[in-house]
Amino acid sequence: MIFSRHLYWIILLHVVLILANAGTGTWLIISQRGFVIGTLLIICSFLQISGLVNKLNSFNQKLRIFFDAIEDKDNMLYFPEQNVSKEQEKLNRSLNRINLLLAKTQSEYSKQEHFYHSLLEEVPIGVLAWDSTGKIIMANSTALSLLGCQQLTQYRQLESLLQEKGRKEHLSLSQNRMKLQNETITLLSIKDIGDELSDKESESWNKLSHVLTHEIMNTIAPIISLSQTLSAYPDINEKAVRGLRIIQAQSERLLQFTESFRHLSYLPQPEKKLFSLTATLENLRELLSGDFQESNITFTLTCHPKTIYMKGDENQLSQLLLNLLKNSIQALERTEKGKISIHALQTEHISIDIADNGPGIPPELQEKIFIPFFTTKSEGSGIGLSLCKQIIRLHGGHLTVKESSPGKTVFHIDIPL
């Protein structure tokens, strides 16, 4: 209020002086009592008007600069409070105080924004948001990972990704709309239900395997014992002995088979230790070098970086890789110039691709090959790939058929560090 009253008095004084000089000069000119003096007075009044306008413009210019700085979010602007007039000092102090409050508010807003952004990054489900124009304004890393992309800017990109059949079948989507200052924001949450289904499926198969192995072994053991006892009787004929031996041999074979997939339901928890994945892969190359040479298979191994270390159960993972390599060797039995390659990559996780140029896996069988006891081989047990899947699941990773067509099949392993 003091500032306003003082400014008003200054403006009023300037106006009175301007009117006095202009009026006196005009009267002197009209009355022809002092033409030169009257002219000088009128010129002085114009100079006073110019000075008053410049003074008022300086206030307006300062306010304009201040508001432009606010619009540009520039908090470094400072107006001097020393060596200026009293009115300028008070105005500059007020502007500096407002600027300080705005900077503090913006800092608090940035902290909150960073907090909520970090919180969304920790959420185990994917979250996206877009405005009414279809512009993606927020997408956390989980959402990008589930959608298999690095960046999203427009809703049409999201729509295209969600149309892919394989991805859509393993994702649960939930959409909601909200109003923010007359702006409609659409929120989409994405959850991977593939892992949940896989875990439940594995649990069901484990329970089934446990029941089967228990019942089969309890039933077969007495049959083997009885057949041995009966075949030892002195008065039994040779034909009966031969039949009992066949029963015993077949029972023992069934018992061995039951024991082999018993490991599927009793797979121990991995003993995770730091080991060299590169060294393990090199050992497998040496182990299977004879098979590669005998089957005329060219094997290549690439690792980025050259030496990869990871934490996991080396024995289980070595068995997993060995099973996949043997599957590839078997798939190349009728291929003249077979090729098998392993590409291992370490970034934020461990990625391993095992590829061969075999005949491929038919699309209708790609989802069945990981089911326990399912096999397309005449002498296969259908346990190998299921066991591999369970080993990877216990390591918190994924095993999938990345690609399969005549001439190229790629199994993809993804394990978090």
Side-chain angles (χ1 to χ4, degrees), residues 26-37:
T26 303
W27 177 76
L28 289 173
I29 292 172
I30 292 174
S31 64
Q32 297 182 354
R33 293 185 178 184
F35 183 81
V36 176
I37 296 175

Side-chain angles (χ1 to χ4, degrees), residues 73 75 101-118 137 180-181:
K73 297 181 179 179
N75 298 320
L101 290 173
L102 290 174
K104 187 177 180 180
T105 302
Q106 187 176 349
S107 176
E108 291 294 330
Y109 174 77
S110 297
K111 287 181 181 178
Q112 285 188 348
E113 186 178 17
H114 179 71
F115 170 75
Y116 288 122
H117 180 75
S118 301
I137 58 177
L180 286 178
Q181 296 179 349

